[in-house]
Amino acid sequence: MILSKILDSIMDLQGEFEFLEFNVGRKKNDYSSAKIRICGESLEHLNKIIREVLRLGAVLPVTREVEFVAALGDMVLPDDFYCTTHHPTWVYLGGEWVEVEDLMMDKQIIVEPENHRAYCVPISGVKKGDLIVIGERGVRVKHPERPRMGVGVFEFMSSDVSPERPATALIREIAHNLKDRARNGGKIVVVAGPAVVHTGAAPYLARMIELGYVDSLLSGNALAVHDIEYALFGTSLGVDLESVRVVSPRNHIAAINRVMRAGSIRKLVDSGELSKGIFYQLVKRDVPFVLAGSIRDDGPIPEVVKCCDEAQRLYREQVKDADFVVMLASMLHGIAVGNMLSSGVKIICVDINPAVVTKLSDRGTSQAVGVVTDVGTFLPLLVNELEY
Amino acid sequence: MILSKILDSIMDLQGEFEFLEFNVGRKKNDYSSAKIRICGESLEHLNKIIREVLRLGAVLPVTREVEFVAALGDMVLPDDFYCTTHHPTWVYLGGEWVEVEDLMMDKQIIVEPENHRAYCVPISGVKKGDLIVIGERGVRVKHPERPRMGVGVFEFMSSDVSPERPATALIREIAHNLKDRARNGGKIVVVAGPAVVHTGAAPYLARMIELGYVDSLLSGNALAVHDIEYALFGTSLGVDLESVRVVSPRNHIAAINRVMRAGSIRKLVDSGELSKGIFYQLVKRDVPFVLAGSIRDDGPIPEVVKCCDEAQRLYREQVKDADFVVMLASMLHGIAVGNMLSSGVKIICVDINPAVVTKLSDRGTSQAVGVVTDVGTFLPLLVNELEY
Amino acid sequence: MILSKILDSIMDLQGEFEFLEFNVGRKKNDYSSAKIRICGESLEHLNKIIREVLRLGAVLPVTREVEFVAALGDMVLPDDFYCTTHHPTWVYLGGEWVEVEDLMMDKQIIVEPENHRAYCVPISGVKKGDLIVIGERGVRVKHPERPRMGVGVFEFMSSDVSPERPATALIREIAHNLKDRARNGGKIVVVAGPAVVHTGAAPYLARMIELGYVDSLLSGNALAVHDIEYALFGTSLGVDLESVRVVSPRNHIAAINRVMRAGSIRKLVDSGELSKGIFYQLVKRDVPFVLAGSIRDDGPIPEVVKCCDEAQRLYREQVKDADFVVMLASMLHGIAVGNMLSSGVKIICVDINPAVVTKLSDRGTSQAVGVVTDVGTFLPLLVNELEY
Amino acid sequence: MILSKILDSIMDLQGEFEFLEFNVGRKKNDYSSAKIRICGESLEHLNKIIREVLRLGAVLPVTREVEFVAALGDMVLPDDFYCTTHHPTWVYLGGEWVEVEDLMMDKQIIVEPENHRAYCVPISGVKKGDLIVIGERGVRVKHPERPRMGVGVFEFMSSDVSPERPATALIREIAHNLKDRARNGGKIVVVAGPAVVHTGAAPYLARMIELGYVDSLLSGNALAVHDIEYALFGTSLGVDLESVRVVSPRNHIAAINRVMRAGSIRKLVDSGELSKGIFYQLVKRDVPFVLAGSIRDDGPIPEVVKCCDEAQRLYREQVKDADFVVMLASMLHGIAVGNMLSSGVKIICVDINPAVVTKLSDRGTSQAVGVVTDVGTFLPLLVNELEY
């Protein structure tokens, strides 16, 4: 619906609007129309809004002639040049609507009033003296209407998960949200996968816990085993995380064995053997955690809940009153948690694989923010923001 | 806007509707309401539509008591069980709206009329005798309203590019579209990258040309060089495509040299040296092609247009009157072409990298169908459909 | 070690070799040398082998002058042109070794005998009359020796998982392997994820079972639920797989409920309610299957083993005597199985996500063949090969 | 070749070795054997090396009985437990070699001396009193020999490009390398794509230039246009990089127009209009840059070299004497540059798409370090390390 897009756009740009008229086509083949008054804070603000809504298919109540000026040089445009969409476009030229030829997106319109012609050119095609359309008056854009039926295959794609996002700004805003939440007593649940350790980010997640930004941790056997392996031996799956070299492939079994001998993670901390890392901080600060078993587990260590029904129940208990869920490189547990959340809970999902974020939103969890990045670079930058 | 979703949903399900009333909130903080009559083809059809629109937040004009029946066994639901969304939900129970506790998506609602309670459980939590809500009467769902401002980071994700699509059905429909287009005299432009050859799909693209499904081919130096290498030597970048083994890394330079010595691809065909493959078919059937130069090129061979301005101009000429553009594993040329198309042209974009499809739609080319798959398995299946 | 590469290369090209001398440097800073006799089936075969081993750093016992001929035209090379590597290179010119300047990969060498110079040019830089090196006599390449220590970060990358493989040839060879295995009474275990159903490939996996190519199936709750949903209602997670449209989001819960009411999958088949699909074929043909529970499960249905220890034990029993494991789009279960296999078992791993294949090989399962493609296009092509 | 792996492993662990004997099988079906003396710095160091080489298939000259101790509790191992590979394994038990049953990777071996049996169990299967093999004496592992011919499909995968790398350690080492290089007067060439700007990393690349870590920049039209758009308007392709919202889709054309009117980037800097960002720093510090044209370009701006031959030549001039090339999110230009480099040049390749790194190494550029991460989080962390 074009109208929704127009209203959304006005609100995005923080303008005000008021309906003056609204005629709805009564049946599904009828046309609808609306007359809307738009207000901005200044003339400039208003013009910005108008520019956008005209691009979206609105028309001004009074039709005015299209405006144009001559290009001052080859490949040089006037400042206020009109920038095309790729939708069918007309200009009001010499008292009639003239369709723009050769339409392409993000290009310019040249008019030839004497010939009643208008056509689209890229900036590289502009010659000195060409009459370039400026502003938005007298330009009409026709957005494709939603086809009513039989659209089939040509409909289901409209994506917005992209790795090309401004990472530092996003992280700053996420940190800001977490700080707010923590300050207001909201509950932050972190769901994390073992890649947190492999990518060298374990100390940063440990620091988040120390700073009080984790009220509950949901994960599986692997995160605990690798975190403890790293705390005890400096390796993750046998890879030394400083020199990035395989030094001892048996270390993860050795870590499991140390927990087994102590009896539990908690006892390993109490005995003084485990003195840093994610699980050390959790135990020390009495932050609850649930480790769900999976068929992939080595061990598993005693804290792991081996029955999936029971693990689900315990997870559900933790997320019941969550305000904010941060998912760190954990597809399995992330999707499990996503299915348990009501739509009021905010989700941050960090994964290097865009498909993981897509999967979350495909299942209906639309309140998620996806950040397609390496958790090993994300967490240091996030913790840096949280510290200050 | 919830209303758009509701109307969309009715149309998706091929129902009819009629507006009886429509009160638009005049300003952006006001509420709006509408009264709509919905018609289906049968009672069952109507119920299906009603089920959907109630899930989307509509309410029935007359409030009726919620319906429920006792579960016949542990973990056994009545056929007509109500399936929850993850949005806040109420049931009309004993003459009042009771909010459903512990809400999660795709679960069931149990009511306790004597306690005026309703709560959400997974199927694994259902016990024999529990009173399970059925149908949609007496259930109200509150969808989150679009927040009016200051949403910031929590807004921009809503994805639909997923590798998990039913591939064979999609391919069947694409083939159907191509056949229609070819039958009606529409112009089909194919944009292809060298992966078409590396993945072993060159014979299938050659066959598409032979069958008349390619009216123009846009690509670069690499596709031509690898296609000719494969036609002459059976290798692609020196890899034998039957045994999947590197046999002769110099073959792509040798292929370039053969074209150089002949003077052009056309002359290589005329001399009888080149007798199969994509470019053989193009030359033989007089299908126009444009090869755009890039900084990555070895050679390049004579047909390549080395100046990017000129290449753009020639591409534009080919796509000007295109009805259908098929992009096969070519990010560089795909995006170039995407920017040249007006919104009436249909695009099929096949790539194993979801980011390529995302990139296309990020640039505003919303008429694209993305298929995230290997072009080496896509083309054989597509050609198979086109043959019959 | 360069020697291993040379011997490998001779064997790859199916040549014979014999050691005449072998002097090993006794300590790690010493040089080693070997004198090897190479035999080919024909002069051409021998030359092909020699060409390769010279590229890898071998030298011929007698030093001969480099050979060259004049280019016949601009950008035209002699057929037997020498094609460069990117490693330091010398030519034996006028009785001395002259280093080639400006070295780049896949380019040509021009010599100026009068100036004792040799330099590298791309084909685009070749002018008529330039003296182009041909053959491999008199050319010496120095491969970088493995640095002895302190290499740190510059060492760990050498990849071979690429989506750009010739798909149809690979699939043909996989089918050939499976047929062999089936004919010889070997055991084929299939590990499959729910994407098999979402991508529309369920009928093809069902057909593989019918044809006798599956001796055991390992999976989880989701595959069974979606397969049964598709068999009963034609949808997968509510998406109609023909029209690619969401028709009924509650269907997967409805499918679970049907199994619950029947009591088990087997009973659903016995009752005649379930009459096609993967699990119908498994039950009908008495093929054993194990469904491992996970925290993500809806339901789960009765056949699912909820305790992860027990599920591991049952999986292990199935794969104990496996000869061939086919992993279809299942990271969780694929890695679980990968960890259980001894190195004699062959693995085919099909996933659209290269990271899944990488993960398998990172964990030491080096006998795997990775196919980076969509299971929805892979299975139809595989079944097609298996049928004939 | 197993011997190479063993020697590599000794060098990796910084041990010394000396060949005592070496008998090479003369022909390709013969066996070879070697006797090697290994020295370590301490008994512990030596044991560590021996443990590794035994895992790789070496055997000790004197056969000793396997050692074992009883498990102290259920699921508790002795500290020095032997950790299995997934290759066929024997233990020397009661004077004979006994094959270990049920072999799996990363598990333990239990022996029953009275029954001459040995079998493999996961830690979860260990019971108190089980006799667990410790140390490496008396254990023999048989690695699969490279099959001599006919291996076909089961050969080509062995991957090492993984997103799961310890990011911060890698970045620290890269910074260390860059500092070294800069201090010693080496030439650092940066190849960058427009994602540097979209992901918000432009200020960090600008800072790298300011700090003197960029001696030459190679890119295309888009990086310059988006950098200048961001410097002038705060947006990238119209997206405000602070609020992450589309504010003005025409800004990139407006940026092009500003350069066009000034006449060139340099003139835009000289006029004072452009006063920050990547290209401002390049111009101000007289760092050479080459912008190669492509068919995708809007504009292009005057500095862009439109002919791909000429652009190649200019790129080649810049990289001729490079010591270090840093590729930032630029597949097109990265591969172009990769093809121009000799094997002595170090490459850092940062991209969120593993396929880009794979592609580089597939083309033979084996000296590359791939970092699979978001350039928007990589650059801030790198600059942070470079500052101190």
Side-chain angles (χ1 to χ4, degrees), chain D residues 90-156:
Chain D
W90 288 259
V91 294
Y92 200 69
L93 186 67
E96 57 179 332
W97 286 108
V98 175
E99 182 161 10
V100 179
E101 303 166 28
D102 297 340
L103 206 73
M104 292 170 289
M105 192 171 54
D106 288 345
K107 303 289 180 295
Q108 284 65 55
I109 301 174
I110 293 179
V111 290
E112 300 183 355
E114 67 284 7
N115 302 322
H116 290 277
R117 278 189 64 205
Y119 49 91
C120 186
V121 290
I123 189 172
S124 59
V126 171
K127 301 284 169 232
K128 185 173 173 177
D130 282 347
L131 302 178
I132 310 290
V133 171
I134 57 170
E136 278 79 19
R137 311 279 151 146
V139 181
R140 204 177 67 196
V141 176
K142 188 168 183 322
H143 275 249
E145 278 295 323
R146 185 190 190 290
R148 264 174 221 101
M149 54 190 61
V151 284
V153 90
F154 273 101
E155 196 182 338
F156 60 74

Side-chain angles (χ1 to χ4, degrees), chain D residues 23-70:
Chain D
N23 305 303
V24 183
R26 290 182 69 224
K27 304 209 171 177
K28 78 177 180 187
N29 290 344
D30 297 346
Y31 283 93
S32 306
S33 69
K35 198 169 200 169
I36 304 168
R37 171 179 294 145
I38 302 173
C39 308
E41 287 155 19
S42 62
L43 186 59
E44 196 193 1
H45 184 207
L46 183 59
N47 278 332
K48 197 169 168 187
I49 298 172
I50 287 175
R51 172 174 295 169
E52 273 311 296
V53 302
L54 292 178
R55 282 175 66 95
L56 290 169
V59 284
L60 293 172
V62 180
T63 304
R64 296 214 224 140
E65 279 287 303
V66 68
E67 293 175 296
F68 45 84
V69 302

Side-chain angles (χ1 to χ4, degrees), chain D residues 124-193:
Chain D
S124 59
V126 171
K127 301 284 169 232
K128 185 173 173 177
D130 282 347
L131 302 178
I132 310 290
V133 171
I134 57 170
E136 278 79 19
R137 311 279 151 146
V139 181
R140 204 177 67 196
V141 176
K142 188 168 183 322
H143 275 249
E145 278 295 323
R146 185 190 190 290
R148 264 174 221 101
M149 54 190 61
V151 284
V153 90
F154 273 101
E155 196 182 338
F156 60 74
M157 212 216 62
S158 153
S159 166
D160 216 359
V161 180
S162 158
E164 299 197 353
R165 296 284 166 197
T168 43
L170 265 181
I171 289 172
R172 210 173 306 129
E173 196 151 345
I174 290 168
H176 180 76
N177 270 281
L178 286 173
K179 282 173 169 176
D180 257 21
R181 201 64 58 158
R183 199 178 304 123
N184 301 329
K187 179 175 185 180
I188 300 170
V189 176
V190 171
V191 185

